[in-house]
Amino acid sequence: PPTRLAAPAKGRPRLTLLGCVGALYWIAESDDGLVLVDQHAASERLLYDALLREGKLARQELVEPITIHLTTTQRTALLAHAEAVHSAGFTVEPFGGDAHRLRSLPSWRGGRARAEGLNALLDELAAGARPSVPDGAMERTAASIACHAAIRAGDPVSPGEMSRILGALYERAEAVYSCPHGRPVLLQIPRSRLDRWFLRSGP
Amino acid sequence: PPTRLAAPAKGRPRLTLLGCVGALYWIAESDDGLVLVDQHAASERLLYDALLREGKLARQELVEPITIHLTTTQRTALLAHAEAVHSAGFTVEPFGGDAHRLRSLPSWRGGRARAEGLNALLDELAAGARPSVPDGAMERTAASIACHAAIRAGDPVSPGEMSRILGALYERAEAVYSCPHGRPVLLQIPRSRLDRWFLRSGP
Protein backbone atom coordinates (compact mmCIF):
# COMPACT_ATOMS: atom_id res chain seq x y z
CA PRO A 1 0.00 0.00 0.00
CA PRO A 2 1.08 3.61 -0.44
CA THR A 3 2.93 5.49 2.23
CA ARG A 4 0.83 6.87 5.02
CA LEU A 5 2.04 10.25 6.17
CA ALA A 6 2.81 9.99 9.86
CA ALA A 7 3.84 13.61 10.04
CA PRO A 8 3.59 16.43 7.55
CA ALA A 9 6.65 17.34 5.57
CA LYS A 10 8.37 20.52 6.65
CA GLY A 11 6.16 23.39 5.64
CA ARG A 12 3.55 23.00 3.01
CA PRO A 13 4.74 21.03 0.01
CA ARG A 14 4.00 22.11 -3.52
CA LEU A 15 0.85 20.26 -4.53
CA THR A 16 -0.84 20.42 -7.90
CA LEU A 17 -4.40 19.17 -7.84
CA LEU A 18 -5.14 17.00 -10.85
CA GLY A 19 -8.72 15.97 -10.14
CA CYS A 20 -10.98 13.50 -8.42
CA VAL A 21 -11.56 9.76 -8.85
CA GLY A 22 -14.83 8.03 -8.03
CA ALA A 23 -16.26 11.28 -6.60
CA LEU A 24 -14.22 10.52 -3.48
CA TYR A 25 -10.44 10.47 -3.91
CA TRP A 26 -8.57 13.59 -4.90
CA ILE A 27 -5.40 13.17 -6.92
CA ALA A 28 -2.52 15.63 -6.68
CA GLU A 29 1.04 15.78 -7.94
CA SER A 30 3.58 16.50 -5.23
CA ASP A 31 7.28 17.25 -5.46
CA ASP A 32 7.81 13.54 -5.04
CA GLY A 33 5.09 11.67 -6.86
CA LEU A 34 1.41 11.26 -6.29
CA VAL A 35 -0.83 12.23 -3.38
CA LEU A 36 -4.29 10.73 -2.78
CA VAL A 37 -6.83 12.31 -0.42
CA ASP A 38 -10.08 10.79 0.88
CA GLN A 39 -12.51 13.73 0.74
CA HIS A 40 -14.74 12.39 3.50
CA ALA A 41 -11.88 11.62 5.88
CA ALA A 42 -10.29 15.02 5.19
CA SER A 43 -13.48 16.94 5.83
CA GLU A 44 -14.29 14.79 8.87
CA ARG A 45 -10.87 15.41 10.39
CA LEU A 46 -11.09 19.19 9.94
CA LEU A 47 -14.62 19.34 11.38
CA TYR A 48 -13.59 17.16 14.32
CA ASP A 49 -10.66 19.44 15.11
CA ALA A 50 -12.90 22.51 14.81
CA LEU A 51 -15.45 20.94 17.18
CA LEU A 52 -12.86 20.15 19.82
CA ARG A 53 -11.31 23.60 19.42
CA GLU A 54 -14.41 25.78 19.23
CA GLY A 55 -17.11 23.54 20.61
CA LYS A 56 -19.31 24.02 17.58
CA LEU A 57 -19.43 23.90 13.81
CA ALA A 58 -20.42 26.64 11.42
CA ARG A 59 -24.07 26.52 10.39
CA GLN A 60 -25.99 27.59 7.34
CA GLU A 61 -29.49 28.94 7.88
CA LEU A 62 -31.89 27.55 5.29
CA VAL A 63 -34.21 29.89 3.39
CA GLU A 64 -36.64 26.98 2.96
CA PRO A 65 -36.70 24.66 5.97
CA ILE A 66 -36.30 20.97 5.15
CA THR A 67 -38.79 18.48 6.61
CA ILE A 68 -37.41 15.16 7.81
CA HIS A 69 -38.96 12.26 9.68
CA LEU A 70 -37.44 10.77 12.84
CA THR A 71 -37.94 7.37 14.41
CA THR A 72 -38.84 7.08 18.09
CA THR A 73 -35.25 6.20 18.89
CA GLN A 74 -34.01 9.23 16.95
CA ARG A 75 -36.47 11.51 18.74
CA THR A 76 -35.25 10.21 22.11
CA ALA A 77 -31.64 10.79 21.07
CA LEU A 78 -32.52 14.31 19.91
CA LEU A 79 -33.91 15.15 23.36
CA ALA A 80 -30.94 13.57 25.16
CA HIS A 81 -28.30 15.24 22.96
CA ALA A 82 -30.03 18.53 22.12
CA GLU A 83 -26.94 20.60 22.86
CA ALA A 84 -24.53 18.43 20.87
CA VAL A 85 -26.90 18.36 17.90
CA HIS A 86 -27.22 22.14 17.99
CA SER A 87 -23.45 22.58 18.28
CA ALA A 88 -23.13 20.38 15.22
CA GLY A 89 -25.00 23.01 13.20
CA PHE A 90 -28.41 21.33 13.05
CA THR A 91 -31.35 23.53 14.13
CA VAL A 92 -34.33 21.18 14.49
CA GLU A 93 -37.97 21.94 15.36
CA PRO A 94 -40.79 19.46 15.97
CA PHE A 95 -43.39 19.74 13.21
CA GLY A 96 -46.10 17.31 14.35
CA GLY A 97 -45.89 13.54 14.74
CA ASP A 98 -42.56 12.18 13.51
CA ALA A 99 -42.01 15.22 11.26
CA HIS A 100 -39.30 17.73 12.12
CA ARG A 101 -38.15 20.86 10.35
CA LEU A 102 -34.48 21.57 9.79
CA ARG A 103 -33.78 25.32 9.86
CA SER A 104 -29.98 25.10 9.58
CA LEU A 105 -27.32 22.57 8.56
CA PRO A 106 -23.60 22.24 9.38
CA SER A 107 -21.69 24.19 6.76
CA TRP A 108 -18.21 24.77 5.49
CA ARG A 109 -17.04 27.21 2.91
CA GLY A 110 -18.65 26.21 -0.34
CA GLY A 111 -20.86 23.43 0.96
CA ARG A 112 -23.17 22.12 3.61
CA ALA A 113 -24.05 18.77 5.13
CA ARG A 114 -26.93 16.67 3.87
CA ALA A 115 -30.18 16.81 5.85
CA GLU A 116 -30.17 13.00 6.19
CA GLY A 117 -26.92 13.34 8.11
CA LEU A 118 -29.06 14.20 11.12
CA ASN A 119 -30.85 10.84 11.06
CA ALA A 120 -27.55 8.99 10.96
CA LEU A 121 -26.08 11.19 13.68
CA LEU A 122 -29.06 10.58 15.98
CA ASP A 123 -28.85 6.82 15.37
CA GLU A 124 -25.22 6.91 16.36
CA LEU A 125 -25.77 9.06 19.42
CA ALA A 126 -28.59 6.71 20.45
CA ALA A 127 -26.23 3.75 20.13
CA GLY A 128 -23.67 5.49 22.36
CA ALA A 129 -21.63 7.12 19.57
CA ARG A 130 -18.80 5.35 17.79
CA PRO A 131 -17.65 2.44 19.90
CA SER A 132 -14.02 2.29 18.74
CA VAL A 133 -11.78 5.38 18.71
CA PRO A 134 -11.36 7.99 20.13
CA ASP A 135 -11.24 8.01 23.93
CA GLY A 136 -13.56 10.18 25.97
CA ALA A 137 -17.28 10.82 25.62
CA MET A 138 -16.80 14.32 24.22
CA GLU A 139 -14.34 13.10 21.61
CA ARG A 140 -16.63 10.25 20.61
CA THR A 141 -19.56 12.60 20.22
CA ALA A 142 -17.41 15.05 18.27
CA ALA A 143 -16.28 12.21 16.01
CA SER A 144 -19.89 11.21 15.35
CA ILE A 145 -20.90 14.78 14.63
CA ALA A 146 -17.91 15.36 12.35
CA CYS A 147 -18.61 12.17 10.44
CA HIS A 148 -22.23 13.03 9.73
CA ALA A 149 -21.60 16.70 8.99
CA ALA A 150 -18.64 16.03 6.67
CA ILE A 151 -18.46 15.95 2.89
CA ARG A 152 -19.33 12.42 1.80
CA ALA A 153 -18.30 10.14 -1.02
CA GLY A 154 -20.22 11.25 -4.08
CA ASP A 155 -20.59 14.87 -2.97
CA PRO A 156 -19.27 17.17 -5.69
CA VAL A 157 -16.39 19.34 -4.44
CA SER A 158 -15.06 22.33 -6.38
CA PRO A 159 -11.32 22.62 -7.10
CA GLY A 160 -11.25 25.75 -4.91
CA GLU A 161 -12.69 23.82 -2.00
CA MET A 162 -10.21 20.97 -2.54
CA SER A 163 -7.35 23.47 -2.39
CA ARG A 164 -8.71 25.09 0.74
CA ILE A 165 -9.08 21.75 2.52
CA LEU A 166 -5.63 20.57 1.45
CA GLY A 167 -4.18 23.84 2.71
CA ALA A 168 -5.97 23.47 6.05
CA LEU A 169 -4.74 19.87 6.39
CA TYR A 170 -1.13 20.80 5.84
CA GLU A 171 -1.39 23.59 8.40
CA ARG A 172 -2.30 21.14 11.14
CA ALA A 173 -0.39 18.78 13.36
CA GLU A 174 0.55 15.25 12.39
CA ALA A 175 -2.73 13.92 13.78
CA VAL A 176 -4.40 15.47 10.77
CA TYR A 177 -3.18 12.60 8.64
CA SER A 178 -5.83 10.30 10.01
CA CYS A 179 -9.55 10.84 10.54
CA PRO A 180 -10.96 10.63 14.10
CA HIS A 181 -11.67 6.94 13.52
CA GLY A 182 -8.11 6.17 12.50
CA ARG A 183 -8.59 5.95 8.74
CA PRO A 184 -5.99 7.69 6.58
CA VAL A 185 -6.80 11.13 5.21
CA LEU A 186 -3.87 11.38 2.83
CA LEU A 187 -1.67 8.76 1.21
CA GLN A 188 1.35 9.35 -0.92
CA ILE A 189 2.88 7.23 -3.63
CA PRO A 190 6.50 8.36 -3.95
CA ARG A 191 8.07 8.64 -7.37
CA SER A 192 10.42 5.75 -6.47
CA ARG A 193 7.39 3.50 -5.97
CA LEU A 194 5.82 4.55 -9.28
CA ASP A 195 9.14 3.78 -10.96
CA ARG A 196 9.20 0.36 -9.32
CA TRP A 197 5.65 -0.40 -10.43
CA PHE A 198 6.61 0.46 -14.01
CA LEU A 199 9.86 -1.55 -13.73
CA ARG A 200 11.94 1.57 -14.30
CA SER A 201 15.39 1.18 -12.86
CA GLY A 202 17.00 4.45 -13.93
CA PRO A 203 15.56 7.90 -14.52
CA PRO B 1 1.62 -3.17 -6.90
CA PRO B 2 -1.29 -2.08 -9.05
CA THR B 3 -2.99 -4.37 -11.50
CA ARG B 4 -1.27 -4.87 -14.80
CA LEU B 5 -3.71 -5.12 -17.64
CA ALA B 6 -3.13 -8.46 -19.32
CA ALA B 7 -5.82 -7.78 -21.88
CA PRO B 8 -7.85 -4.70 -22.67
CA ALA B 9 -11.35 -4.48 -21.31
CA LYS B 10 -14.10 -5.00 -23.86
CA GLY B 11 -14.15 -1.98 -26.08
CA ARG B 12 -12.62 1.26 -25.04
CA PRO B 13 -13.37 2.17 -21.45
CA ARG B 14 -14.39 5.64 -20.44
CA LEU B 15 -11.20 7.41 -19.39
CA THR B 16 -10.91 10.93 -18.06
CA LEU B 17 -7.40 12.31 -18.19
CA LEU B 18 -6.54 14.16 -15.00
CA GLY B 19 -2.94 15.15 -15.70
CA CYS B 20 0.67 14.10 -15.49
CA VAL B 21 3.00 13.34 -12.59
CA GLY B 22 6.75 13.79 -12.71
CA ALA B 23 6.58 14.68 -16.43
CA LEU B 24 6.28 10.95 -17.07
CA TYR B 25 3.18 9.25 -15.67
CA TRP B 26 -0.27 10.19 -16.90
CA ILE B 27 -3.15 9.87 -14.47
CA ALA B 28 -6.68 9.09 -15.62
CA GLU B 29 -9.95 8.21 -13.97
CA SER B 30 -11.57 5.07 -15.34
CA ASP B 31 -14.97 3.56 -14.68
CA ASP B 32 -13.29 1.55 -11.96
CA GLY B 33 -10.66 3.69 -10.29
CA LEU B 34 -7.35 5.06 -11.38
CA VAL B 35 -5.24 4.41 -14.48
CA LEU B 36 -1.51 5.23 -14.70
CA VAL B 37 0.34 5.37 -18.01
CA ASP B 38 4.11 5.54 -18.59
CA GLN B 39 4.43 8.03 -21.47
CA HIS B 40 7.71 6.61 -22.71
CA ALA B 41 6.53 2.99 -22.64
CA ALA B 42 3.26 3.94 -24.35
CA SER B 43 4.95 5.86 -27.13
CA GLU B 44 7.61 3.16 -27.51
CA ARG B 45 5.01 0.43 -27.84
CA LEU B 46 3.02 2.30 -30.50
CA LEU B 47 6.15 3.12 -32.52
CA TYR B 48 7.33 -0.49 -32.26
CA ASP B 49 4.00 -1.77 -33.56
CA ALA B 50 4.06 0.78 -36.39
CA LEU B 51 7.59 -0.29 -37.35
CA LEU B 52 6.69 -3.96 -37.48
CA ARG B 53 3.50 -3.18 -39.40
CA GLU B 54 4.75 -0.58 -41.89
CA GLY B 55 8.48 -1.07 -41.80
CA LYS B 56 9.11 2.59 -41.07
CA LEU B 57 8.21 5.48 -38.83
CA ALA B 58 6.85 8.85 -39.82
CA ARG B 59 9.53 11.50 -40.26
CA GLN B 60 9.63 15.25 -39.89
CA GLU B 61 11.85 17.18 -42.28
CA LEU B 62 13.79 19.89 -40.46
CA VAL B 63 13.82 23.44 -41.81
CA GLU B 64 17.20 23.93 -40.12
CA PRO B 65 19.34 20.78 -40.13
CA ILE B 66 20.79 19.80 -36.75
CA THR B 67 24.50 19.06 -36.49
CA ILE B 68 25.53 16.16 -34.25
CA HIS B 69 28.84 14.45 -33.64
CA LEU B 70 29.29 10.68 -33.88
CA THR B 71 31.96 8.45 -32.37
CA THR B 72 33.86 6.01 -34.57
CA THR B 73 31.70 3.18 -33.27
CA GLN B 74 28.56 5.15 -34.03
CA ARG B 75 29.78 5.93 -37.58
CA THR B 76 30.44 2.23 -38.17
CA ALA B 77 26.98 1.36 -36.88
CA LEU B 78 25.45 4.04 -39.14
CA LEU B 79 27.06 2.43 -42.20
CA ALA B 80 26.07 -1.08 -41.13
CA HIS B 81 22.46 -0.14 -40.32
CA ALA B 82 21.82 2.63 -42.85
CA GLU B 83 18.47 1.23 -43.89
CA ALA B 84 17.17 0.68 -40.36
CA VAL B 85 18.27 4.16 -39.33
CA HIS B 86 16.51 5.69 -42.32
CA SER B 87 13.36 3.66 -41.65
CA ALA B 88 13.42 5.01 -38.13
CA GLY B 89 12.95 8.52 -39.51
CA PHE B 90 16.52 9.80 -39.20
CA THR B 91 17.97 11.33 -42.38
CA VAL B 92 21.70 11.72 -41.73
CA GLU B 93 24.42 13.23 -43.93
CA PRO B 94 28.18 13.29 -43.26
CA PHE B 95 29.34 16.86 -42.67
CA GLY B 96 33.12 16.50 -42.35
CA GLY B 97 35.07 14.67 -39.64
CA ASP B 98 32.79 13.37 -36.89
CA ALA B 99 30.11 15.95 -37.70
CA HIS B 100 26.86 14.83 -39.28
CA ARG B 101 23.75 16.75 -40.25
CA LEU B 102 20.31 15.53 -39.34
CA ARG B 103 17.76 16.54 -41.98
CA SER B 104 14.78 14.68 -40.50
CA LEU B 105 13.72 13.11 -37.21
CA PRO B 106 11.17 10.44 -36.28
CA SER B 107 7.87 12.17 -35.65
CA TRP B 108 4.44 11.54 -34.29
CA ARG B 109 1.45 13.80 -34.31
CA GLY B 110 2.34 16.76 -32.17
CA GLY B 111 5.97 15.87 -31.48
CA ARG B 112 9.26 14.58 -32.73
CA ALA B 113 12.18 12.61 -31.33
CA ARG B 114 15.27 14.28 -29.90
CA ALA B 115 18.31 14.51 -32.13
CA GLU B 116 20.47 12.83 -29.46
CA GLY B 117 18.24 9.78 -29.83
CA LEU B 118 20.33 8.93 -32.89
CA ASN B 119 23.54 8.64 -30.86
CA ALA B 120 21.87 6.31 -28.39
CA LEU B 121 20.27 4.28 -31.18
CA LEU B 122 23.62 3.84 -32.98
CA ASP B 123 25.30 2.79 -29.73
CA GLU B 124 22.64 0.18 -29.23
CA LEU B 125 22.79 -1.08 -32.83
CA ALA B 126 26.58 -1.28 -32.53
CA ALA B 127 26.18 -3.38 -29.38
CA GLY B 128 23.85 -5.75 -31.22
CA ALA B 129 20.59 -4.09 -30.20
CA ARG B 130 18.78 -4.88 -26.98
CA PRO B 131 20.00 -8.19 -25.66
CA SER B 132 16.87 -9.27 -23.76
CA VAL B 133 13.45 -9.27 -25.37
CA PRO B 134 12.09 -9.57 -28.04
CA ASP B 135 13.03 -12.50 -30.23
CA GLY B 136 14.32 -12.02 -33.75
CA ALA B 137 16.84 -9.57 -35.19
CA MET B 138 14.17 -7.43 -36.86
CA GLU B 139 12.14 -7.19 -33.65
CA ARG B 140 15.21 -6.30 -31.62
CA THR B 141 16.17 -3.58 -34.07
CA ALA B 142 12.60 -2.28 -34.11
CA ALA B 143 12.59 -2.23 -30.31
CA SER B 144 15.82 -0.20 -30.27
CA ILE B 145 14.50 2.22 -32.84
CA ALA B 146 11.17 2.61 -31.07
CA CYS B 147 12.90 3.24 -27.75
CA HIS B 148 15.11 6.01 -29.09
CA ALA B 149 12.44 7.63 -31.22
CA ALA B 150 9.78 7.59 -28.48
CA ILE B 151 8.58 10.35 -26.18
CA ARG B 152 10.86 10.33 -23.12
CA ALA B 153 10.43 11.09 -19.45
CA GLY B 154 10.46 14.86 -19.09
CA ASP B 155 9.16 15.56 -22.58
CA PRO B 156 6.09 17.78 -22.35
CA VAL B 157 3.01 16.13 -23.87
CA SER B 158 -0.21 18.02 -24.60
CA PRO B 159 -3.54 16.69 -23.29
CA GLY B 160 -4.64 16.18 -26.90
CA GLU B 161 -1.61 14.00 -27.55
CA MET B 162 -2.22 12.03 -24.35
CA SER B 163 -5.78 11.34 -25.48
CA ARG B 164 -4.66 10.29 -28.93
CA ILE B 165 -2.05 7.89 -27.54
CA LEU B 166 -4.48 6.43 -25.01
CA GLY B 167 -7.02 5.92 -27.78
CA ALA B 168 -4.43 4.20 -29.97
CA LEU B 169 -3.40 1.94 -27.08
CA TYR B 170 -6.92 0.79 -26.38
CA GLU B 171 -7.46 0.01 -30.05
CA ARG B 172 -4.64 -2.50 -30.07
CA ALA B 173 -4.27 -6.10 -29.00
CA GLU B 174 -3.42 -7.17 -25.49
CA ALA B 175 0.29 -7.01 -26.27
CA VAL B 176 -0.08 -3.26 -26.18
CA TYR B 177 -0.10 -3.36 -22.41
CA SER B 178 3.63 -3.86 -22.25
CA CYS B 179 6.44 -2.08 -24.08
CA PRO B 180 8.68 -4.13 -26.41
CA HIS B 181 11.06 -4.69 -23.48
CA GLY B 182 8.36 -6.08 -21.25
CA ARG B 183 7.77 -3.06 -19.05
CA PRO B 184 4.17 -2.13 -18.32
CA VAL B 185 2.57 0.63 -20.37
CA LEU B 186 -0.57 0.98 -18.32
CA LEU B 187 -1.40 0.06 -14.74
CA GLN B 188 -4.74 0.30 -13.07
CA ILE B 189 -5.61 0.74 -9.44
CA PRO B 190 -9.17 -0.51 -9.06
CA ARG B 191 -11.58 1.34 -6.81
CA SER B 192 -11.63 -1.67 -4.47
CA ARG B 193 -7.88 -1.28 -3.93
CA LEU B 194 -8.16 2.45 -3.27
CA ASP B 195 -10.90 1.66 -0.74
CA ARG B 196 -8.64 -0.89 0.93
CA TRP B 197 -5.75 1.56 1.12
CA PHE B 198 -8.02 4.08 2.81
CA LEU B 199 -9.46 1.39 5.13
CA ARG B 200 -12.94 1.86 3.71
CA SER B 201 -15.05 -1.19 4.17
CA GLY B 202 -18.40 -0.01 2.84
CA PRO B 203 -19.28 2.40 0.07
Side-chain angles (χ1 to χ4, degrees):
Chain A
T3 304
R4 185 160 175 168
L5 277 182
K10 296 141 209 116
R12 185 179 171 182
R14 183 191 63 87
L15 277 186
T16 308
L17 266 169
L18 301 182
C20 186
V21 165
L24 174 57
Y25 301 116
W26 307 340
I27 315 294
E29 180 189 19
S30 74
D31 284 329
D32 181 37
L34 203 56
V35 165
L36 307 174
V37 179
D38 180 312
Q39 71 181 30
H40 174 66
S43 168
E44 194 179 12
R45 178 74 216 194
L46 291 176
L47 295 180
Y48 174 76
D49 286 1
L51 260 172
L52 292 190
R53 201 170 54 236
E54 299 159 29
K56 62 183 174 58
L57 295 184
R59 65 182 60 237
Q60 185 183 320
E61 306 294 332
L62 300 172
V63 179
E64 292 284 336
I66 296 171
T67 302
I68 58 168
H69 298 271
L70 300 180
T71 64
T72 310
T73 310
Q74 289 169 346
R75 289 203 295 274
T76 308
L78 180 59
L79 290 172
H81 298 278
E83 200 179 336
V85 169
H86 190 261
S87 303
F90 293 103
T91 308
V92 197
E93 292 171 357
F95 198 54
D98 64 350
H100 287 69
R101 298 187 83 164
L102 274 172
R103 297 208 163 268
S104 76
L105 288 174
S107 73
W108 51 89
R109 201 182 331 176
R112 67 174 196 215
R114 297 176 184 177
E116 316 86 73
L118 178 60
N119 299 78
L121 172 60
L122 292 173
D123 284 340
E124 210 165 273
L125 291 173
R130 299 250 163 161
S132 51
V133 271
D135 286 343
M138 196 180 71
E139 284 79 3
R140 280 202 303 279
T141 305
S144 288
I145 289 172
C147 179
H148 298 292
I151 297 168
R152 304 195 77 79
D155 285 346
V157 181
S158 69
E161 178 69 3
M162 291 183 196
S163 291
R164 193 192 67 79
I165 290 179
L166 276 174
L169 280 176
Y170 275 101
E171 274 162 24
R172 313 220 29 94
E174 68 280 350
V176 96
Y177 294 102
S178 72
C179 83
H181 307 105
R183 295 204 300 102
V185 165
L186 195 145
L187 295 173
Q188 57 182 2
I189 306 176
R191 170 61 182 261
S192 56
R193 187 143 343 162
L194 293 173
D195 288 348
R196 213 153 54 236
W197 285 350
F198 278 100
L199 305 178
R200 285 190 160 264
S201 38
Chain B
T3 304
R4 185 160 175 169
L5 276 184
K10 296 140 211 119
R12 185 179 171 182
R14 184 192 62 88
L15 277 185
T16 308
L17 266 168
L18 301 181
C20 187
V21 164
L24 174 56
Y25 301 116
W26 306 341
I27 314 295
E29 181 189 20
S30 73
D31 284 328
D32 181 37
L34 204 58
V35 165
L36 307 173
V37 179
D38 180 313
Q39 71 181 30
H40 174 65
S43 168
E44 195 179 12
R45 178 74 215 195
L46 291 177
L47 295 180
Y48 175 77
D49 286 1
L51 261 171
L52 291 190
R53 202 170 53 237
E54 299 159 28
K56 63 183 173 58
L57 295 185
R59 65 181 61 236
Q60 184 183 320
E61 306 295 332
L62 300 172
V63 178
E64 292 283 336
I66 297 171
T67 302
I68 59 168
H69 298 271
L70 301 180
T71 65
T72 311
T73 309
Q74 288 169 345
R75 290 204 294 276
T76 308
L78 180 58
L79 290 173
H81 298 277
E83 200 180 336
V85 169
H86 190 262
S87 303
F90 293 103
T91 309
V92 197
E93 293 171 356
F95 197 55
D98 65 351
H100 288 69
R101 299 187 82 166
L102 274 173
R103 297 208 162 269
S104 76
L105 288 173
S107 74
W108 51 90
R109 204 183 326 177
R112 69 176 196 213
R114 297 176 184 178
E116 315 87 72
L118 178 61
N119 299 77
L121 172 60
L122 292 173
D123 285 340
E124 211 167 272
L125 293 174
R130 299 251 164 157
S132 52
V133 271
D135 285 344
M138 196 180 71
E139 285 78 3
R140 280 203 302 278
T141 306
S144 288
I145 289 171
C147 179
H148 298 292
I151 297 169
R152 305 195 77 78
D155 286 346
V157 181
S158 69
E161 179 69 2
M162 290 183 196
S163 290
R164 193 192 67 79
I165 290 178
L166 275 174
L169 280 176
Y170 274 101
E171 273 163 24
R172 313 219 31 91
E174 68 280 349
V176 97
Y177 293 101
S178 73
C179 83
H181 307 105
R183 294 205 301 100
V185 165
L186 196 146
L187 294 175
Q188 56 181 2
I189 306 176
R191 169 62 182 260
S192 57
R193 187 144 341 163
L194 294 172
D195 289 347
R196 212 152 56 234
W197 286 349
F198 278 99
L199 305 179
R200 284 190 161 266
S201 39

